[in-house]
Amino acid sequence: MPSDSIDESCIHKIKFLMHWFYRNAALIFQLTQKDDEIKHPTLTAVPPVSIHLYDSAQKHVMSVPPDLHQQYLQTCQNLSQPENHFVARVLQEADKGDSRQTKGITLKIAGNNRLVPVQRVTDEDVQVLASVLCSAVFVTGLDLRYNNLTDVGVRHMATFLQENSTLRYLNLMFNDIGTSGAELIANALHSNETLLHLRMTGNKIGNKGGMYFASMLQVNCSLEKLDLGDCDVGTQCLIAIASILTQNKAVKAINLNRPLLYSQEEETTVRIALMLKSNSSLVELHLCKHEIKSLGVERLCEALYENCSLRYLDLSCNKITRDDVKFLGELLKQNQTLEILDLNSNRIEDDGAIYLSEALALYNRTLKALVFQ
């Protein structure tokens, strides 16, 4: 056979192999990403430039994550907004990280950061930031606590939540968000199916704002952690949430600390106890500053004899006395689920501590932390 024919045959085979590789490179990459046990550095390494993958039907483009800092500066210019140097620095640092292409990142733009100079985020800054993050699918967490966000800025955040499908964690605690802002966020979560953890602590949304979140929990089936502590929610809101949590199976942790209660009848605690009898998904419950006394403790303990899911119960800063602790002591002799019990800042005294210590020493083997002073 002539040598030129051999060369042409080899060339044909090489072209065929190259065509096969490019056509199947996307599949190879996906299978490699999913296989945690088999690691092939040559397959998992992502080139720093765009890769064009061609198949018989269409062209797929897999590109590197966008440059957040440059996008931010460009968006500020487009919207005629001044640059927030703190936000710009956080985005610049995020661009340097390696986790953008793997597990995602959380942008920590907390206004109470004491380690670096901080320019607190305003409503105008949120408008720019929300626009930038629309295309940043690798951003899975956003921490905006202790900033100057009002209901005006929350409107941009709510629009972002309605369109976004990658954010898992959002921290808005201790801003200046009111009832209208609560309505916007809650309404956005009616359609959002990806956010898992929302922190609203310290925003004075009031009872009406809390009711918007209660209504949201009737529709949303993905949110797992909701923090409404120190939000000035009232009796109506607490009763509504307790009622809804008898049906909602998604929420695993909820913070209802420091509501505004004007009754001494412990109605809200009784309703929460009834919820615990039927709820099998809640793992963490915070009831700090609920004015809980003897009746409330007794009803909660009755419920926890039947509940097999709750592992963390926060009853700190209530009016629980040494006599009331007897109910908890008897509960701990039988309950095999509870792992953390916070009784800090109650009136337990030495006798109450003895009741608890006897239960723990002789019967309970599951409680890992008991907090009281």
Side-chain angles (χ1 to χ4, degrees), residues 122-266:
T122 65
D123 295 331
E124 292 76 16
D125 295 327
V126 168
Q127 180 183 8
V128 178
L129 188 61
S131 177
V132 172
L133 295 183
C134 281
S135 59
V137 296
F138 54 89
V139 176
T140 57
L142 182 58
D143 185 352
L144 291 171
R145 57 183 162 174
Y146 290 98
N147 280 294
N148 296 327
L149 305 186
T150 70
D151 293 344
V152 175
V154 167
R155 184 175 298 277
H156 303 296
M157 186 55 60
T159 301
F160 169 71
L161 286 175
Q162 288 176 322
E163 300 172 352
N164 181 271
S165 60
T166 57
L167 198 71
R168 303 289 186 268
Y169 170 74
L170 178 60
N171 191 340
L172 298 175
M173 62 188 293
F174 291 103
N175 277 278
D176 194 21
I177 302 171
T179 302
S180 298
E183 181 180 13
L184 291 168
I185 294 291
N187 287 343
L189 293 181
H190 279 242
S191 57
N192 183 290
E193 298 179 350
T194 53
L195 192 70
L196 301 178
H197 188 180
L198 174 63
R199 302 199 67 180
M200 292 291 293
T201 315
N203 291 289
K204 306 306 180 182
I205 64 175
N207 187 73
K208 187 176 181 180
M211 289 298 293
Y212 290 126
F213 282 106
S215 298
M216 175 271 295
L217 291 177
Q218 291 182 300
V219 180
N220 186 291
C221 297
S222 56
L223 192 69
E224 295 181 356
K225 298 180 180 180
L226 177 60
D227 190 341
L228 295 178
D230 200 18
C231 286
D232 289 355
V233 300
T235 300
Q236 182 187 15
C237 173
L238 294 178
I239 292 176
I241 289 177
S243 176
I244 292 166
L245 288 182
T246 61
Q247 304 296 326
N248 184 300
K249 303 304 180 184
V251 176
K252 293 179 173 58
I254 190 162
N255 181 352
L256 300 172
N257 288 346
R258 208 201 71 80
L260 295 183
L261 303 176
Y262 299 101
S263 172
Q264 299 296 318
E265 297 180 0
E266 302 186 79

Side-chain angles (χ1 to χ4, degrees), residues 6 46 54 61 78 80 168 180 220 232 251 294 302 304 316 334 344:
I6 296 175
V46 180
Y54 296 87
V61 178
N78 294 343
S80 300
R168 303 289 186 268
S180 298
N220 186 291
D232 289 355
V251 176
S294 181
E302 289 176 357
L304 291 176
S316 60
Q334 299 184 39
N344 193 36

Side-chain angles (χ1 to χ4, degrees), residues 29-172:
F29 181 79
Q30 292 173 4
L31 291 175
T32 307
Q33 290 292 91
K34 292 180 180 179
D35 192 347
D36 294 328
E37 298 179 356
I38 304 176
K39 295 183 179 179
H40 300 287
T42 56
L43 294 181
T44 57
V46 180
V49 296
S50 296
I51 304 175
H52 298 275
L53 308 174
Y54 296 87
D55 60 17
S56 58
Q58 60 181 351
K59 179 175 70 174
H60 301 279
V61 178
M62 180 172 62
S63 59
V64 297
D67 189 312
L68 291 178
H69 181 243
Q70 290 301 321
Q71 281 196 3
Y72 174 73
L73 296 180
Q74 185 62 51
T75 306
C76 285
Q77 184 177 356
N78 294 343
L79 297 177
S80 300
Q81 294 290 350
E83 173 189 347
N84 183 310
H85 297 291
F86 179 45
V87 173
R89 183 167 61 251
V90 171
L91 297 181
Q92 195 170 26
E93 290 297 321
D95 287 332
K96 300 177 182 178
D98 296 329
S99 60
R100 299 193 306 168
Q101 296 173 338
T102 56
K103 61 182 180 180
I105 62 173
T106 295
L107 296 178
K108 298 181 180 179
I109 316 178
N112 64 336
N113 191 330
R114 298 181 181 273
L115 301 178
V116 296
V118 169
Q119 180 183 348
R120 294 198 170 185
V121 176
T122 65
D123 295 331
E124 292 76 16
D125 295 327
V126 168
Q127 180 183 8
V128 178
L129 188 61
S131 177
V132 172
L133 295 183
C134 281
S135 59
V137 296
F138 54 89
V139 176
T140 57
L142 182 58
D143 185 352
L144 291 171
R145 57 183 162 174
Y146 290 98
N147 280 294
N148 296 327
L149 305 186
T150 70
D151 293 344
V152 175
V154 167
R155 184 175 298 277
H156 303 296
M157 186 55 60
T159 301
F160 169 71
L161 286 175
Q162 288 176 322
E163 300 172 352
N164 181 271
S165 60
T166 57
L167 198 71
R168 303 289 186 268
Y169 170 74
L170 178 60
N171 191 340
L172 298 175

Side-chain angles (χ1 to χ4, degrees), residues 274-319:
L274 288 173
M275 175 271 294
L276 289 174
K277 287 186 176 183
S278 59
N279 183 290
S280 59
S281 56
L282 196 64
V283 175
E284 182 175 334
L285 175 61
H286 294 265
L287 299 176
C288 174
K289 296 185 178 180
H290 271 244
E291 300 290 326
I292 298 175
K293 298 184 285 293
S294 181
L295 175 62
V297 173
E298 183 178 7
R299 294 298 177 86
L300 286 172
C301 289
E302 289 176 357
L304 291 176
Y305 281 111
E306 302 179 29
N307 183 284
C308 296
S309 63
L310 196 70
R311 296 201 297 266
Y312 184 174
L313 178 60
D314 179 4
L315 298 178
S316 60
C317 301
N318 280 290
K319 296 183 177 180

